[in-house]
Amino acid sequence: MAMMTNLRNKMQIVIWSLLVLFILSMTIGGLVGGANIIDQILGRINPADAIGVVNGEIISPDLFNQAVSARLDVYRSSGQEVNDRFISSVRKDIWNSFVEEKLMEQAIEDLGITVTNEEILFHLENNPPEDVKRLFMVDNVFDEEAYRQALNTTGMIDWTPIEQWMRGYYIPRFKLQQLLNLSAVVEPGEISDEFIKRNIYYTINALHVTAKTVKNIVSEPQTDELAADYLSRKDDFHRDERRILSHVNWAKTPSINDTLRIYEDALDIMEQALRGENFATLANIYTSDPGNLILPDSGKGGDLGWFSKGQMVKDFEDAAFSAKIGEIVGPVLSNFGYHLIKIDSSRVKNSVKQIRARHILLKIEFGPNTRTELRRKATLFSYDALDTGFKSALESHNLTRSKTSMLVREDENIRKLGSFRQAVRFAFEAQPGDVSDPFDNDQFFAVFKLDTIIPEGFLDIEEVKPQLKSKVLRENQLKAAEELAYELRGQIDNGAVFNELKEANGLLEIISLDTKMLSGSFKSLGHSSQLIGALLNSKAGEMIGPIPTARGFALVLVMDISPFDSSAWIDQQDQINFNLMQRKQNRIYSSWLKGLKENAEIIDNRKYYF
């Protein structure tokens, strides 16, 4: 009964968790609808109406931002540090989720996948989804008896939202996955090959002809070779419009006033503790130590457990080991901030003194007054730069200018400043000479000036000459290594041995009696599908090659192959078949989704928002 009462109490939270993706997909599509037909015909999409469009169906800016905020709230509640870079990462994840969800929804509609009441009941009775099982977890174990009771007792809980989620989200995707899985087939030979890779040892000798082996006989690429390579892949050197900014910045570092403020806060808390207030309670309220957190609304009371000398930073350790049991000491300053320390007990273990202590950590952080002062400085500089020019403002404010690297519209980071998307947006909205308002991220206030606009086009051959030279030289070396490997194979077939060939060419690499399973990596040769395939089809005593490797070409003498273990084969083949099937199904799904994305008409308006 308590289980059911608890379940009813948390149903609102759980239902939201179950329905979130379903609600998102419905809102993206059915509730928001497609783009205006005139806009579709003319290829126009107003960024104010859509942060994105997938095959004509709008992703609402409000919905996108709600999803980002919800995800960030989850991370914040778990104690995760949320900074500009992290927010940018979450936005990317949410965007990909929206696009993939819309493509899935469209595919389900195109395939005519529907869900009947009977299918919902069948899944609930025979194949309940993990998300539904979580509603009936007791100590992280599924309580099937409680689940069956709720399922078979009318009115015990409201199943309507779960049925909606099953109908609109879970079962359609389950059926789609089953359709895709039909094309995954594992052949018997694949199972035996995988068993061999995991169980059979190969002992080899090898002669490795690398690019280094022939470097002295391969000349530098000629101009005509570089030009031919450049023209053959000129599209690789296409560059979008780029921009260069100048900037000045003010680091968001704590001031002396911030240090004094935190010190005074520590004294106030110290006074409460000395008046007899419970130290553990104070720690849960005030400490900044992330290790204290157990749940969003509970902590460890500042408990650090047992520790001996050498485990803590010196200033903390000196204060802790100098105090008496029951004593509260502090504020103690370390590179983490100010600590208040309470010694609970001490002991000697393995002839080493240990103490058990609690602490309250107050980090010295950038405060509101310091923020206001830095913003004031940045604002004054911006005004002066607009009035008298950027260079003159640098001189009057005694500041040094820095320059960004070449920025493209999609960039999010500024070198040495970190994530600064607003500065990139300014760069592509401004005209040369324009000065920005003060911008800030987690670490800096900054003011920017647009210096240069570099038009869209192709990099000149001279700009990419080092890149061309490196690629063509590498290709020529590998070609020469292949020719030499075939020449050496001919000598081996006529009676030559590896050591003789090594004496004639000291740059050859010899591998002697290296024993590995094919799931591993051989010395010098590495791990490649060509090498594995050749060894799978080899016999002991056989010479194979030349075989391509990541570094050149190899001649391999198979010295020994361990026996086939029939008992292990019987034990493992079903699991190997299962693993291979899962791998193929995952690849098929990934390939299918990739194909949908490549063929979809996707408009990404995020650059107008962030």
Side-chain angles (χ1 to χ4, degrees):
M1 192 65 174
M3 171 73 184
M4 290 302 151
T5 303
N6 182 53
L7 181 60
R8 291 192 191 99
N9 290 338
K10 66 180 182 179
M11 275 300 288
Q12 292 299 321
I13 297 172
V14 173
I15 288 170
W16 182 89
S17 300
L18 280 173
L19 291 177
V20 62
L21 288 176
F22 170 60
I23 291 170
L24 291 180
S25 65
M26 289 292 291
T27 310
I28 297 169
L31 300 183
V32 174
N36 180 283
I37 188 65
I38 300 300
D39 285 341
Q40 289 190 52
I41 293 172
L42 299 178
R44 301 179 313 205
I45 295 295
N46 186 348
D49 298 329
I51 198 168
V53 184
V54 181
N55 290 330
E57 295 194 19
I58 282 174
I59 299 174
S60 154
D62 288 342
L63 183 64
F64 181 86
N65 287 325
Q66 288 169 17
V68 171
S69 296
R71 177 81 65 85
L72 293 174
D73 286 345
V74 170
Y75 285 119
R76 288 190 181 100
S77 67
S78 66
Q80 171 75 48
E81 180 184 355
V82 175
N83 55 31
D84 289 338
R85 188 183 297 274
F86 189 81
I87 292 171
S88 176
S89 173
V90 168
R91 285 181 182 141
K92 287 180 181 178
D93 288 344
I94 296 293
W95 169 260
N96 289 332
S97 296
F98 269 69
V99 171
E100 290 176 7
E101 180 56 35
K102 178 47 58 185
L103 292 172
M104 289 271 284
E105 182 184 284
Q106 293 167 353
I108 288 168
E109 183 177 352
D110 291 343
L111 291 168
I113 295 175
T114 58
V115 179
T116 65
N117 292 336
E118 290 75 17
E119 287 175 315
I120 295 173
L121 184 58
F122 176 84
H123 277 274
L124 288 173
E125 289 182 341
N126 302 286
N127 184 34
E130 292 300 319
D131 286 326
V132 175
K133 285 184 177 181
R134 289 192 189 100
L135 298 175
F136 299 87
M137 291 287 189
V138 177
D139 296 329
N140 293 320
V141 177
F142 175 51
D143 187 338
E144 186 166 0
E145 182 180 349
Y147 173 73
R148 294 295 169 189
Q149 183 183 0
L151 189 63
N152 296 314
T153 305
T154 303
M156 182 166 284
I157 67 171
D158 181 9
W159 287 92
T160 303
I162 295 175
E163 291 174 10
Q164 291 175 344
W165 175 75
M166 297 278 285
R167 185 187 305 278
Y169 185 83
Y170 176 76
I171 295 179
R173 282 149 187 79
F174 178 86
K175 294 173 77 171
L176 174 61
Q177 186 68 62
Q178 295 301 104
L179 284 174
L180 292 172
N181 289 348
L182 290 175
S183 58
V185 178
V186 177
E187 301 292 345
E190 296 177 275
I191 301 174
S192 60
D193 284 351
E194 185 67 19
F195 174 82
I196 290 171
K197 293 177 188 177
R198 298 182 184 186
N199 293 273
I200 305 300
Y201 285 91
Y202 286 74
T203 301
I204 66 170
N205 288 346
L207 190 71
H208 200 186
V209 185
T210 67
K212 180 180 177 182
T213 308
V214 296
K215 68 177 184 178
N216 294 330
I217 62 174
V218 176
S219 59
E220 292 288 309
Q222 300 299 307
T223 301
D224 58 340
E225 291 181 277
L226 301 181
D229 184 60
Y230 175 80
L231 292 173
S232 70
R233 55 192 188 99
K234 190 173 180 180
D235 286 347
D236 293 347
F237 305 113
H238 177 267
R239 292 294 180 268
D240 293 331
E241 181 181 303
R242 291 163 293 165
R243 303 207 169 190
I244 298 175
L245 298 170
S246 289
H247 65 88
V248 292
N249 61 78
W250 296 260
K252 291 182 176 179
T253 53
S255 67
I256 185 64
N257 289 331
D258 292 320
T259 301
L260 292 173
R261 171 175 53 83
I262 299 301
Y263 180 73
E264 290 172 359
D265 289 345
L267 290 177
D268 288 341
I269 299 169
M270 181 76 169
E271 185 178 342
Q272 294 178 56
L274 293 175
R275 285 200 307 262
E277 293 195 32
N278 186 278
F279 192 89
T281 301
L282 292 173
N284 287 337
I285 295 172
Y286 293 112
T287 190
S288 301
D289 182 356
N292 186 68
L293 194 68
I294 297 176
L295 295 172
D297 57 350
S298 66
K300 300 192 308 187
D303 187 12
L304 295 170
W306 292 98
F307 59 90
S308 54
K309 287 188 176 181
Q311 292 183 259
M312 300 293 182
V313 294
K314 187 176 186 308
D315 293 326
F316 182 99
E317 181 181 285
D318 289 346
F321 278 89
S322 299
K324 300 175 182 177
I325 295 174
E327 187 177 359
I328 300 172
V329 295
V332 176
L333 181 62
S334 78
N335 56 332
F336 294 103
Y338 279 110
H339 305 262
L340 303 179
I341 308 168
K342 181 177 183 293
I343 309 304
D344 285 346
S345 54
S346 68
R347 69 183 182 187
V348 176
K349 185 176 182 180
N350 298 327
S351 302
V352 176
K353 182 181 178 180
Q354 294 182 328
I355 61 174
R356 184 162 191 167
R358 300 176 184 271
H359 84 139
I360 299 171
L361 170 65
L362 300 180
K363 293 182 179 178
I364 302 172
E365 296 180 321
F366 184 69
N369 292 337
T370 306
R371 171 183 289 275
T372 299
E373 176 59 20
L374 289 186
R375 180 175 287 281
R376 185 188 69 82
K377 290 181 178 180
T379 300
L380 288 175
F381 176 86
S382 177
Y383 288 161
D384 287 348
L386 287 169
D387 290 342
T388 64
F390 200 82
K391 183 178 179 180
S392 176
L394 288 171
E395 294 174 355
S396 61
H397 288 257
N398 195 28
L399 294 170
T400 302
R401 170 172 57 183
S402 299
K403 279 186 176 286
T404 67
S405 54
M406 291 184 286
L407 302 172
V408 297
R409 190 181 292 273
E410 291 75 23
D411 280 338
E412 296 185 355
N413 296 321
I414 302 292
R415 184 167 54 88
K416 296 184 179 181
L417 297 184
S419 178
F420 239 125
R421 178 62 193 164
Q422 54 194 332
V424 179
R425 288 187 63 191
F426 163 77
F428 284 87
E429 293 169 358
Q431 295 299 317
D434 286 356
V435 176
S436 75
D437 293 330
F439 297 142
D440 72 302
N441 64 5
D442 296 316
Q443 297 175 288
F444 298 95
F445 282 99
V447 175
F448 297 85
K449 179 179 79 74
L450 177 59
D451 290 337
T452 308
I453 297 177
I454 303 172
E456 175 186 4
F458 294 92
L459 292 175
D460 185 83
I461 189 171
E462 291 299 321
E463 294 180 82
V464 296
K465 201 168 186 177
Q467 180 181 340
L468 293 170
K469 184 177 178 181
S470 176
K471 176 178 176 291
V472 173
L473 179 60
R474 172 72 175 173
E475 290 174 348
N476 291 345
Q477 288 175 341
L478 288 177
K479 183 178 179 181
E482 182 179 17
E483 292 174 354
L484 178 57
Y486 274 100
E487 179 184 329
L488 295 173
R489 175 61 192 262
Q491 295 179 38
I492 290 170
D493 291 342
N494 288 322
V497 296
F498 286 170
N499 287 334
E500 292 176 352
L501 299 175
K502 170 71 174 176
E503 288 177 7
N505 186 338
L507 295 177
L508 291 168
E509 295 181 12
I510 286 186
I511 300 93
S512 298
L513 298 178
D514 188 19
T515 301
K516 296 286 193 311
M517 287 189 291
L518 298 186
S519 56
S521 179
F522 287 94
K523 295 176 184 176
S524 180
L525 307 183
H527 182 92
S528 70
S529 58
Q530 294 96 329
L531 178 60
I532 292 170
L535 288 171
L536 277 171
N537 293 292
S538 68
K539 299 177 182 178
E542 183 180 359
M543 175 71 68
I544 56 177
I547 302 167
T549 70
R551 300 171 55 226
F553 291 83
L555 302 171
V556 178
L557 178 60
V558 183
M559 303 298 292
D560 184 59
I561 302 175
S562 65
F564 189 93
D565 188 336
S566 299
S567 297
W569 165 249
I570 293 171
D571 291 341
Q572 295 182 30
Q573 60 180 317
D574 288 343
Q575 183 63 46
I576 290 173
N577 180 49
F578 176 78
N579 293 343
L580 291 176
M581 181 62 76
Q582 277 199 321
R583 191 185 304 168
K584 285 201 171 187
Q585 289 172 352
N586 290 337
R587 287 176 180 170
I588 287 169
Y589 176 78
S590 296
S591 178
W592 172 80
L593 187 59
K594 181 181 178 183
L596 285 185
K597 287 183 178 180
E598 289 175 347
N599 293 313
E601 294 182 6
I602 299 173
I603 298 174
D604 182 355
N605 286 334
R606 285 177 294 168
K607 60 181 175 288
Y608 298 110
Y609 288 84
F610 314 113

